[in-house]
Coordinates of all heavy atoms in Angstrom, one line a residue:
H338 N -10.0 -10.5 -8.7 CA -9.1 -11.6 -8.8 C -8.4 -11.6 -10.2 O -9.0 -11.2 -11.2 CB -9.7 -13.0 -8.6 CG -10.1 -13.2 -7.2 ND1 -9.1 -13.6 -6.3 CD2 -11.2 -13.2 -6.5 CE1 -9.7 -13.8 -5.1 NE2 -11.0 -13.5 -5.2
V339 N -7.2 -12.0 -10.2 CA -6.4 -12.0 -11.5 C -6.8 -13.3 -12.3 O -6.8 -13.2 -13.5 CB -4.9 -12.1 -11.2 CG1 -4.1 -12.4 -12.4 CG2 -4.4 -10.7 -10.6
C345 N -8.4 -19.0 -7.8 CA -7.3 -18.1 -7.9 C -6.3 -18.2 -6.8 O -6.7 -18.2 -5.6 CB -7.8 -16.7 -8.0 SG -6.5 -15.5 -8.1
C350 N -2.2 -11.5 -7.0 CA -3.6 -11.1 -7.0 C -4.0 -10.2 -5.9 O -3.8 -10.5 -4.7 CB -4.5 -12.4 -6.9 SG -6.2 -12.0 -6.9
A352 N -7.0 -9.3 -5.0 CA -8.2 -9.8 -4.2 C -7.8 -10.8 -3.2 O -8.2 -10.9 -2.1 CB -9.3 -10.3 -5.2
C353 N -6.9 -11.7 -3.6 CA -6.4 -12.8 -2.7 C -5.6 -12.1 -1.6 O -5.8 -12.5 -0.4 CB -5.5 -13.7 -3.4 SG -6.3 -14.9 -4.5
Ligands
ZN501 ZN1 -7.0 -14.0 -6.5

Side-chain angles (χ1 to χ4, degrees):
H338 285 284
V339 167
C345 180
C350 176
C353 287

